[in-house]
Amino acid sequence: MSAAANSKRYALSAVDKQRQQLDRLLKDPSKPIYVPPPPQEKFIRPAREMMKNVQGSSAGAGSGEFHVYKAGRRREYERLAILAEQSQKEIDEREFEQRRQEAAAIADSKTTKNRNKRQKRKERTKGSSKVQNDDETPLKKRRLVNGEAIQFRRPGEDSDTEDETPIQPPPSVVVEVREEIAVVEGAKITIVEDD
């Protein structure tokens, strides 16, 4: 680096640090990456069943007994702290699971409610799609042109009654006929490049 680049040093932000780490990782993709192990679970050493070197209130305790007492007290406090931490963790997990189940129940009830609304809407549209007339023809097979009904039938389908004549569209309906337009090919231009 040049002297000018060294003079412009500044504290790296979190984004700059992360960019620098990613650049270093991606510099050589074949190089294995060190992934630190997850933190180990704290464990409780079981309390001693029989205490040795128990000192009474009598005189004669040596100078080292104070440190033995302090170490035992520290271990007991650590054990109590770990127990409290584990119980708090269990309580938090239980509360989280309860909140998650409540949220899932609310979401399920909303989904059920919306599904029922969709089903009711579908049933209503299904029920209203039929026209109440004498031959019970569905609405999509009937069409009104200038106030008169035209009924469409599939090819080969006979009418329900023998004396019925097919309904002709009224004369006000304009039928548009499109003619094919012939395409005339125009003159072609060919460009030849000489090398």
Side-chain angles (χ1 to χ4, degrees):
M1 291 185 141
S2 64
N6 287 339
S7 65
K8 291 186 179 181
R9 288 195 174 192
Y10 56 91
L12 295 176
S13 67
V15 174
D16 292 334
K17 285 180 184 177
Q18 190 174 23
R19 183 182 301 122
Q20 196 175 43
Q21 289 173 348
L22 284 173
D23 289 342
R24 196 177 311 134
L25 281 174
L26 297 174
K27 189 176 184 181
D28 186 12
S30 62
K31 183 179 174 184
I33 299 172
Y34 171 71
V35 178
Q40 292 182 350
E41 190 81 20
K42 293 180 183 177
F43 65 94
I44 303 170
R45 194 170 80 182
R48 295 181 179 171
E49 291 180 16
M50 184 175 146
M51 293 295 290
K52 298 175 185 175
N53 300 329
V54 176
Q55 296 293 323
S57 60
S58 63
S63 61
E65 298 304 319
F66 174 73
H67 302 294
V68 171
Y69 163 74
K70 290 283 279 186
R73 190 177 75 164
R74 180 184 54 78
R75 279 193 302 270
E76 183 61 21
Y77 283 157
E78 281 180 2
R79 190 178 75 82
L80 293 175
I82 290 172
L83 281 173
E85 187 178 314
Q86 284 179 347
S87 67
Q88 184 64 37
K89 188 176 178 182
E90 288 174 2
I91 290 170
D92 291 345
E93 285 177 357
R94 243 182 288 138
E95 287 176 355
F96 170 75
E97 189 64 30
Q98 183 180 1
R99 283 195 311 267
R100 192 179 68 78
Q101 287 176 353
E102 287 173 359
I106 290 171
D108 286 344
S109 67
K110 273 187 171 181
T111 305
T112 306
K113 180 182 173 185
N114 289 339
R115 184 185 312 118
N116 291 340
K117 283 172 74 174
R118 281 194 308 272
Q119 290 294 333
K120 283 181 184 177
R121 197 175 330 131
K122 192 174 181 181
E123 291 297 321
R124 265 191 306 223
T125 57
K126 200 183 276 186
S128 66
S129 68
K130 300 238 178 196
V131 175
Q132 299 299 327
N133 56 12
D134 54 339
D135 57 351
E136 293 293 325
T137 307
L139 182 63
K140 60 185 174 184
K141 286 195 172 188
R142 291 189 155 270
R143 196 162 90 193
L144 295 178
V145 176
N146 292 340
E148 294 187 28
I150 299 176
Q151 187 169 355
F152 298 96
R153 291 195 173 92
R154 293 189 182 99
E157 194 176 79
D158 294 331
S159 63
D160 296 337
T161 59
E162 301 299 326
D163 59 330
E164 187 177 310
T165 59
I167 300 172
Q168 299 293 329
S172 62
V173 175
V174 177
V175 178
E176 208 175 293
V177 178
R178 293 187 182 191
E179 294 180 9
E180 298 265 340
I181 300 173
V183 178
V184 178
E185 290 190 24
K188 295 183 181 177
I189 300 175
T190 306
I191 301 174
V192 178
E193 292 184 15
D194 292 332
D195 289 333

